[in-house]
Amino acid sequence: MGISNIIFVVIFIAAVVFFAKNVGKIRRNILLGRDEDRSDNPGERWKTMARVALGQSKMTVRPIAGIMHIFVYVGFVIINIEVLEIIIDGIFGTHRIFSSALGDFYYFLINFFEILALLVVLGVVVFLLRRLVMRIQRFYKPEMKGWPTTDALNILWIELVLMAAFLTMNAADSVLLQAPADQLASLGLEKYTSDLQGGFVASQFLTGMLPQDLTTLAAIERTAWWLHIVGILAFLNYLPYSKHFHIILAFPNTYYSDLEEQGKFTNDDKVKKEVELMMDPNADPFAAPAPEEGAEEPGTFGAKDVQDLTWKNLMDAYSCTECGRCTSECPANQTGKLLSPRKIMMDTRDRLVEVGKGIDKNGKDHKDGKALLNDYITPEELWACTTCNACVEACPVNINPLSIIMEMRRYLIMEESAAPSELAGMFTNVENNGAPWQFAQADRLKWAEETD
């Protein structure tokens, strides 16, 4: 094993360990949320994941962006199958180890990968034009200032560099692999000897731009090889710090989608029981047994901080792509109100990351005196929501911002009695009159006395 192989192994192991450590932290953060059972109906869940995450069905509602995203997504994922060969080559010092075993099929695979690489480049260029030239409005909302926009552009530039390195590597290699074996041996380049015939199709346009000296070509090929694999490992470790972690989380997030009808809200069992007793004229309000001594204290109603949300809410936050489709469809946002469903998800993730860092530094019982409510999300944002579910319908990975909004509203009302004045009047009417209207039950039919 040469020095370059040792360097590669060290870089590879360090990248995998660092990535695993960060993924472990994200998993820990998600599990800070309340428990929720999403194990029902596995058949439907697999279908949802296949249709939405794998099939990109909700992306293509907007055809241009959807098709370009499929190019980037499918191309990038499939091209990285080649990483397996690169890893083996890097460890053992071989060169295109699968070529001898796969023969002509290997030639087909690499050509297929190159066509996908060009489609990735096309998709990335279109996305850059949409952001930097067309300046589509949803990419320039207030919550996208600073890091979110930088993050989005970073990923696009990284993908361009990785595809350029891949194509350059293949272009140099296609010349080397066709050189006479004795000439390669005389230059100490024996590992480039191959039975492959012909160059790789999509990288052929680059061969004319490269020098024809075999030693220089080998140096270019090695430089592009290292840039490609180290770039992929760096990209892998960038993901946990980026919105692009949705590349991984989109699959479990869509699997654990809410299968209930949109608009169906959750009930709190404690509250539901009290309401049932109140509404049943024959119910004995003292029939419920007193809590046993030492029983667990009742928890808070709704959500003030991220720990009060469910683990699925927190997975939603990490799965957010920040594409802004939810916000662009939100009627409240369209009318100039503060609510942005995308910001709700971004704030939830930012607060969860902050809580996680506090735990890492000070232990699991650390309290920093801050909360998701008020420190990140204001009541004004929450009450602007019309609960229309447009954001839920628009999300490409089945995120549900409305669930978080409703839990935080529930906290405001039931823990802080901080309902808007319009709602406070309605609550009083329900309590006194059994209906939202300001009429006693005995007076509700008086309007009918004046009719025939």
Side-chain angles (χ1 to χ4, degrees), residues 7-160:
I7 292 172
F8 175 82
V9 170
V10 170
I11 292 174
F12 177 71
I13 292 175
V16 171
V17 169
F18 192 63
F19 177 72
K21 182 180 178 181
N22 281 325
V23 170
K25 288 182 179 180
I26 290 175
R27 180 179 181 275
R28 185 273 317 275
N29 289 352
I30 290 173
L31 293 179
L32 292 175
R34 292 187 292 104
D35 191 27
E36 181 181 19
D37 185 10
R38 290 287 179 102
S39 61
D40 61 308
N41 206 342
E44 183 63 27
R45 294 190 179 282
W46 282 110
K47 289 178 183 177
T48 301
M49 184 180 72
R51 183 179 69 255
V52 178
L54 188 62
Q56 304 278 290
S57 61
K58 296 179 77 172
M59 283 297 301
T60 52
V61 172
R62 302 185 183 189
I64 294 178
I67 292 171
M68 293 300 109
H69 187 273
I70 289 174
F71 286 166
V72 174
Y73 161 72
V74 174
F76 196 80
V77 169
I78 294 180
I79 289 167
N80 283 328
I81 294 174
E82 191 199 18
V83 172
L84 176 61
E85 181 184 52
I86 292 178
I87 291 171
I88 295 173
D89 286 344
I91 293 173
F92 297 105
T94 54
H95 186 69
R96 295 192 180 269
I97 192 170
F98 293 157
S99 62
S100 58
L102 297 178
D104 291 340
F105 183 65
Y106 180 83
Y107 185 74
F108 166 80
L109 278 179
I110 298 301
N111 282 321
F112 179 58
F113 292 163
E114 287 198 348
I115 292 170
L116 289 176
L118 292 177
L119 292 176
V120 170
V121 171
L122 173 63
V124 169
V125 169
V126 170
F127 287 148
L128 285 171
L129 289 174
R130 283 159 59 84
R131 285 182 175 273
L132 300 177
V133 179
M134 298 171 63
R135 297 183 68 84
I136 293 176
Q137 185 181 10
R138 62 190 168 97
F139 297 141
Y140 291 90
K141 294 287 185 178
E143 66 268 19
M144 295 302 292
K145 291 181 179 178
W147 170 249
T149 294
T150 301
D151 179 33
L153 293 175
N154 283 347
I155 289 293
L156 295 176
W157 293 122
I158 289 170
E159 288 174 344
L160 275 182

Side-chain angles (χ1 to χ4, degrees), residues 179-221:
D182 56 347
Q183 187 178 359
L184 290 171
S186 67
L187 297 172
L189 303 175
E190 296 90 342
K191 70 177 182 179
Y192 292 100
T193 303
S194 173
D195 295 330
L196 293 176
Q197 299 297 318
F200 301 127
V201 175
S203 60
Q204 283 299 297
F205 70 94
L206 287 173
T207 56
M209 307 177 191
L210 298 175
Q212 298 305 302
D213 177 70
L214 295 183
T215 303
T216 305
L217 280 174
I220 292 173
E221 188 274 338

